Amino acid sequence: MDIREIARRAKVSTATVSRAINRVPTVDPQLAKRVWKVVDELGYYPNTQARALVLGRSRIFGLIVSEITNPFFPEIVQTFEDLAVKNNYEILLTSTVHDPKRMESSVRRMIERRVDGVAILTFGMEESLIEHLRDRKVPLVFVDVGPNIPGIANIRINYLNGIRQAVQHLAALRHTRIAFIAGPQRLKSAGARRDAFEASMKEIGLSPDLIVVGDHRMEGGMNALLELNKLSDSPTAVLCSNDMTAIGVLREAYDQNIKIPEDLSVVGFDNIHLAEFTIPPLTTVQMSQHDLAKIAFNALLQEVEDGSSSPERHNYELVTGLVLRRSTALARSRRSAATPTPNRVAKSRKTPAPQ
Amino acid sequence: MDIREIARRAKVSTATVSRAINRVPTVDPQLAKRVWKVVDELGYYPNTQARALVLGRSRIFGLIVSEITNPFFPEIVQTFEDLAVKNNYEILLTSTVHDPKRMESSVRRMIERRVDGVAILTFGMEESLIEHLRDRKVPLVFVDVGPNIPGIANIRINYLNGIRQAVQHLAALRHTRIAFIAGPQRLKSAGARRDAFEASMKEIGLSPDLIVVGDHRMEGGMNALLELNKLSDSPTAVLCSNDMTAIGVLREAYDQNIKIPEDLSVVGFDNIHLAEFTIPPLTTVQMSQHDLAKIAFNALLQEVEDGSSSPERHNYELVTGLVLRRSTALARSRRSAATPTPNRVAKSRKTPAPQ
DNA sequence: TTGGCCATGGTAAACGTTTACCAGAAGGAC
DNA sequence: GTCCTTCTGGTAAACGTTTACCATGGCCAA
């Protein structure tokens, strides 16, 4: 169904229909009413791609995340979505699952669909891809230390702040053997967290040598704790590069019958909603997903609406801070050296579902 | 940058460029090579909206979920995305957050963007909205008992199967006071789960009267357990309408110092990835998100590619089954009636993050 | 009455593709 | 050499909008 169809039935021209629909004030109220009547009767919806074609604006924002199944991201996506509906935008979501090929196809898809802007929340993206976007003048916003390409909005995250609080919190609880479970090495954001950890440790005269790398997922957290416990002088506290890792640690500790927080203090990072519901509830570094999404969206919106990308708008900073819950406690004066008895049950109980 | 620009530089017509790009075999290999060279040099990407306009196909599928922050959905979205890239589709995601207004705008957006099909994974949608879509001949696929509109593909979920297994499992562990924490009442899917519970209980001669309603979120699970424990004859086992609810139950039990599974057996539903990482790991009814997404996607794909919507393809069934982990155990012969001592800490510890 | 100005709506071009249709070249048969 | 066929590539219309530009008609002033 056409705008022409509407025009025919309302006995006006397509121009008038278009004007009526877009509420151009110069159109006679009588005519407008006639047009709207037909529109409603026929259940006509304008074709956005035709409109986009002539307007040169698609009203679509791209959102590239690294892994939608990591609960960190859905919270961002939801806020982004909320803002999108409010502003009459769509969001084109891609999840790169850390795969370079997928990153490439993400970027390609964004360009082919002629999105009006892209928010990049995946961290290991090749610079060449980003330049590809920049060359087409697609407004871009980066979260975190993106490659330092001039003219691209960056939301810097102040990791140090929150991580320093976490480390000092642990130190105040008399922990000295504090381990860090890092994220995937190629991720800049993971690197930044790790750097913040090292800096914070050194600040208070502790050596940040207990570092093992995970994968920002629960599985990695489990393995990391396993590894940490093999050490002769295993830590009394672990700081994790993200909450999912911490959840894995909690889980592995349960298997090993290590009591949290009595035997081991655990701190996460991100403060995803879930962190309030772990057992025990997770002390973690907060970084507001909501604010993050909001800043990203508005940065894009401004750039496309104003056209201008004033340089002072190009740097945003997101603060982080510690939120205390129940996964941290005073370090034991002397931690028992005996290997804790595992209560891991036989594998055979993990019956796969019939299918 | 245009197809015309390419044509000019390659010294051919736009028709040839189009044909070369789309790999039409009748075009001379020499010419094709010339075209591709220019395309690569200029970094040209076809404009999909122009293409969609003339083709009458947008290569976009709509995906309406009820709450992207519920971990159940991201797993579906991921699979959907995977299939989308493979088949050169985009997905237009909307999250209705149980808001009728958002459902309406979801549908409107889908239509305006001229999606080629819609998968509906939100459950309380008004029939009128659905008919709106059907009237425009948009291929539709429903998960679960959608309204019974003929000509719309339905993925029926066999709840009874899995829930019966769960109930029988609990009964075999000598539980007789088995409670059910239902989902939001207006959700048909939640209703179906509840019905399956009631039927399964009756089958083995137990009365399904211990039912309290939650919200399919962790908060609701916590409240529900609170309520259940107020009862004089509180249950020794709880079956939850979804895993998030179960996670809430676990969490509340922790606060109340109720040991899982010794004092209380807990069973979830959905088998989200997280269920393997709760404490204790959650026994739950499995329903493969992956399969679900796959079926939904393929149903849509077939309908748009074949055009035909053969009726036998209109009904799919997804099986469910129990997966045993560690949140269930033998019922205590006599459960202590004493109220368990809460170990809930003072509220003041829940320090909000600085901001 | 006539000329000019405003207000309003219509005509048609443009956005960037695809493809039906056609034109021209090449080659073969007579 | 002429005609027919085949193969390949070009011309132009179409997809559904928006909007610059123009036409019309009404009103007022002289």
Side-chain angles (χ1 to χ4, degrees), chain B residues 138-305:
Chain B
V138 180
L140 242 44
V141 56
F142 248 96
V143 166
D144 222 337
V145 268
N148 227 341
I149 300 179
I152 294 186
N154 227 26
I155 305 178
R156 226 164 33 81
I157 296 173
N158 188 334
Y159 291 113
L160 189 56
N161 228 323
I163 287 186
R164 180 192 279 139
Q165 285 180 44
V167 167
Q168 293 188 349
H169 166 66
L170 290 172
L173 292 172
R174 307 218 199 307
H175 291 277
T176 52
R177 303 286 297 158
I178 303 176
F180 185 73
I181 304 180
Q185 304 215 249
R186 65 189 170 345
L187 262 53
K188 297 206 183 182
S189 68
R193 290 168 196 210
R194 176 188 178 141
D195 292 347
F197 169 74
E198 293 181 355
S200 303
M201 289 288 279
K202 284 178 189 153
E203 271 179 12
I204 57 172
L206 293 177
S207 84
D209 50 356
L210 269 177
I211 297 185
V212 11
V213 348
D215 56 5
H216 272 181
R217 302 186 326 178
M218 300 180 286
E219 288 83 348
M222 291 187 70
N223 290 334
L225 182 58
L226 224 42
E227 212 168 307
L228 246 17
N229 274 345
K230 279 195 216 123
L231 267 36
S232 58
D233 195 11
S234 57
T236 61
V238 223
L239 180 53
C240 303
S241 188
N242 79 344
D243 284 345
M244 295 311 277
T245 303
I247 291 176
V249 168
L250 259 28
R251 174 67 167 72
E252 181 66 31
Y254 174 77
D255 274 359
Q256 309 248 352
N257 211 16
I258 298 171
K259 296 264 171 283
I260 314 279
E262 295 83 352
D263 300 333
L264 181 70
S265 287
V266 179
V267 179
F269 194 106
D270 282 345
N271 193 24
I272 59 178
H273 185 221
L274 202 54
E276 213 176 320
F277 295 87
T278 57
I279 293 176
L282 191 65
T283 291
T284 188
V285 176
Q286 139 128 1
M287 155 166 140
S288 165
Q289 285 86 247
H290 181 259
D291 290 353
L292 182 56
K294 215 168 129 183
I295 293 174
F297 189 91
N298 287 328
L300 288 182
L301 197 60
Q302 282 199 344
E303 209 163 325
V304 14
E305 311 269 91

Side-chain angles (χ1 to χ4, degrees), chain A residues 36 69 76-77 144 161 166 169 173 187 232 284 298 337 345:
Chain A
W36 277 108
T69 53
I76 291 179
V77 172
D144 220 338
N161 227 324
H169 166 66
L173 293 172
L187 262 54
S232 58
T284 188
N298 286 329
V345 297

Side-chain angles (χ1 to χ4, degrees), chain A residues 11-315:
Chain A
K11 303 205 187 312
V12 294
S13 74
T14 59
T16 305
V17 176
S18 173
R19 286 195 269 251
I21 287 176
N22 293 307
R23 307 208 133 81
V24 173
T26 66
V27 45
D28 181 293
Q30 284 285 322
L31 274 196
K33 200 167 295 175
R34 223 159 76 207
V35 169
W36 277 108
K37 185 146 171 279
V38 179
V39 164
D40 287 344
E41 274 172 15
L42 265 61
Y44 163 80
Y45 290 81
N47 183 327
T48 8
Q49 26 207 33
R51 179 181 285 174
L53 199 55
V54 24
L55 256 28
R57 291 227 168 294
S58 60
R59 295 197 89 83
I60 302 179
F61 280 147
L63 183 54
I64 307 184
V65 305
S66 54
E67 209 175 17
I68 186 67
T69 53
N70 175 341
F72 176 73
F73 291 109
E75 302 184 18
I76 291 179
V77 172
Q78 182 65 60
T79 303
F80 217 80
E81 236 272 284
D82 294 346
L83 291 168
V85 291
K86 273 209 198 83
N87 294 276
N88 247 294
Y89 271 80
E90 300 308 328
I91 95 180
L92 175 49
L93 179 74
T94 66
S95 176
T96 64
V97 289
H98 308 292
D99 177 353
K101 280 213 196 318
R102 288 291 281 273
M103 294 182 198
E104 207 182 308
S105 84
S106 277
V107 170
R108 183 180 46 71
R109 297 204 277 159
M110 302 279 161
I111 297 177
E112 284 183 354
R113 297 282 169 179
R114 300 295 191 267
V115 299
D116 290 345
V118 180
I120 301 183
L121 277 75
T122 192
F123 303 108
M125 173 108 57
E126 295 248 357
E127 282 203 28
S128 66
L129 287 175
I130 292 150
E131 282 170 0
H132 224 200
L133 285 165
R134 197 212 36 186
D135 289 351
R136 309 196 123 57
K137 315 250 178 281
V138 181
L140 241 46
V141 56
F142 249 97
V143 167
D144 220 338
V145 268
N148 226 340
I149 300 180
I152 294 184
N154 227 28
I155 305 178
R156 227 162 35 80
I157 297 172
N158 188 336
Y159 291 113
L160 190 55
N161 227 324
I163 288 187
R164 179 191 279 139
Q165 285 180 42
V167 167
Q168 293 187 349
H169 166 66
L170 291 172
L173 293 172
R174 307 221 200 302
H175 292 276
T176 53
R177 303 285 299 157
I178 303 175
F180 185 73
I181 304 181
Q185 304 216 250
R186 65 192 169 345
L187 262 54
K188 298 208 182 183
S189 67
R193 290 167 196 211
R194 177 190 179 140
D195 292 348
F197 169 74
E198 294 182 352
S200 303
M201 288 289 278
K202 284 180 190 153
E203 271 179 14
I204 57 171
L206 293 176
S207 83
D209 50 356
L210 270 178
I211 297 184
V212 11
V213 347
D215 56 4
H216 272 182
R217 303 186 328 180
M218 301 180 286
E219 290 82 349
M222 292 187 71
N223 290 333
L225 182 57
L226 223 42
E227 212 168 307
L228 246 17
N229 274 345
K230 280 195 215 127
L231 268 34
S232 58
D233 195 10
S234 57
T236 60
V238 223
L239 180 53
C240 302
S241 188
N242 78 344
D243 284 344
M244 295 312 277
T245 303
I247 291 175
V249 167
L250 259 27
R251 174 67 167 72
E252 181 65 32
Y254 174 76
D255 274 0
Q256 308 249 352
N257 211 16
I258 297 171
K259 297 266 173 281
I260 313 279
E262 296 83 353
D263 299 334
L264 182 70
S265 287
V266 179
V267 179
F269 194 105
D270 281 345
N271 193 26
I272 58 180
H273 185 220
L274 202 54
E276 212 174 321
F277 296 88
T278 57
I279 294 176
L282 190 64
T283 290
T284 188
V285 176
Q286 138 127 1
M287 155 166 140
S288 165
Q289 285 86 246
H290 181 260
D291 290 353
L292 182 55
K294 215 168 129 186
I295 293 175
F297 189 92
N298 286 329
L300 287 181
L301 198 60
Q302 282 199 343
E303 207 162 329
V304 15
E305 310 269 271
D306 302 9
S308 88
S309 51
S310 48
E312 72 271 18
R313 288 218 202 86
H314 269 185
N315 270 290

Side-chain angles (χ1 to χ4, degrees), chain B residues 45 47 58 73 78 99 205 212 264 282 291 294:
Chain B
Y45 291 81
N47 182 327
S58 60
F73 291 109
Q78 183 65 59
D99 176 354
V212 11
L264 181 70
L282 191 65
D291 290 353
K294 215 168 129 183

Side-chain angles (χ1 to χ4, degrees), chain A residues 43 48 81 109 112 136, chain B residues 43 48 81 109 112 136 325:
Chain A
T48 8
E81 236 272 284
R109 297 204 277 159
E112 284 183 354
R136 309 196 123 57
Chain B
T48 9
E81 234 274 282
R109 297 202 278 160
E112 284 183 352
R136 309 198 121 57
R325 284 198 273 254

